[in-house]
Amino acid sequence: MSQETGALDAIFEVLDAEEAQRVTARYAPLADAVRELIDATIHTAADDDVVADARTAIEAVTKSLRQRTRPIGVSYRVDGARPLTLGNAAIGLGNPIAPPLIIHHDGGGRCWSEFVLGSAYEGPPKLVHGGVSALVLDHMLGEAASEGLSKARFTGTITVKYLRGTPLGPLRCEAWVDGKEGRKVFARGTISDAAGVTVEAEGVFIEPAWAREAE
């Protein structure tokens, strides 16, 4: 696998579409299984023996997985297109703490995602932790501002307004570009449940100088 040139050399390994499919097929099901394990761990009322046996088995599996690891920060880019970021906390298909968000782009700087947040994301009882809502909105606004992660535009500021508690369960997030000014892109977004908007946000995303110089 060749390395992408430029400022992101130390971050991205370039894959062709077939390699990307193999990587996703290998690691995404493992992350899905660990997500189920996280949920089961939160909700279990098993007795001491079951918990002890489970801990022993998990420790053994963890040890086997650590026999070969990737360096921190390594992600993949598919033929120079959208990154395949396995470890991303919002969209990482290989990261069990990511929901993960599957992003759909409608063009014109708009994107959306429908997803489920379960008990692993709880703050107040039966409600999503406010920090998780901020994470989702930060990523979604960034998706809009960066044109689907195709442009290097990073969060400068983000303001989150909580209108009411966001219930655990099925949710929808929408984000869109609200304007541009030089190196700045302004984006807005919302999280909604079946009854309407629960959280809204606005942010400023900055294109670094090195990204412009590379164009």
Side-chain angles (χ1 to χ4, degrees):
M1 293 180 290
S2 63
Q3 291 287 328
E4 186 180 32
T5 59
L8 300 182
D9 277 350
I11 301 175
F12 289 111
E13 294 181 7
V14 178
L15 306 179
D16 62 29
E18 186 176 348
E19 288 176 307
Q21 188 174 22
R22 283 200 298 268
V23 167
T24 301
R26 180 184 305 141
Y27 297 118
L30 173 62
D32 289 340
V34 178
R35 287 188 189 97
E36 290 294 324
L37 175 61
I38 290 170
D39 188 74
T41 301
I42 292 169
H43 290 286
T44 189
D47 60 30
D48 291 352
D49 289 343
V50 172
V51 171
D53 289 345
R55 188 183 68 223
T56 299
I58 291 166
E59 289 171 348
V61 170
T62 300
K63 184 177 180 180
S64 71
L65 292 175
R66 288 194 185 280
Q67 290 179 5
R68 182 180 178 187
T69 59
R70 292 187 299 273
I72 293 174
V74 171
S75 293
Y76 304 103
R77 188 178 291 278
V78 183
D79 288 333
R82 179 184 174 87
L84 175 62
T85 51
L86 294 177
N88 185 282
I91 61 172
L93 293 177
N95 185 349
I97 71 168
L101 304 178
I102 306 299
I103 315 298
H104 305 273
H105 288 267
D106 291 337
R110 301 189 70 93
C111 61
W112 60 274
S113 180
E114 293 182 344
F115 52 96
V116 176
L117 294 181
S119 296
Y121 307 97
E122 187 176 60
K126 299 184 180 180
L127 297 177
V128 176
H129 192 292
V132 174
S133 296
L135 166 71
V136 169
L137 283 161
D138 181 39
H139 186 87
M140 289 293 292
L141 268 62
E143 284 271 353
S146 66
E147 301 176 31
L149 305 184
S150 67
K151 304 288 186 181
R153 293 169 182 162
F154 303 108
T155 310
T157 62
I158 185 168
T159 301
V160 181
K161 184 176 181 181
Y162 299 90
L163 305 180
R164 59 183 172 88
T166 301
L168 296 173
L171 298 166
R172 179 182 175 95
C173 187
E174 300 181 22
W176 59 93
V177 171
D178 199 38
K180 298 180 181 179
E181 182 181 305
R183 293 170 54 199
K184 298 179 180 179
V185 178
F186 303 90
R188 300 176 66 89
T190 61
I191 294 176
S192 303
D193 65 0
V197 175
T198 64
V199 191
E200 58 187 24
E202 58 183 19
V204 180
F205 294 79
I206 311 296
E207 184 173 324
W210 60 258
R212 287 203 163 191
E213 291 169 357
E215 292 180 352

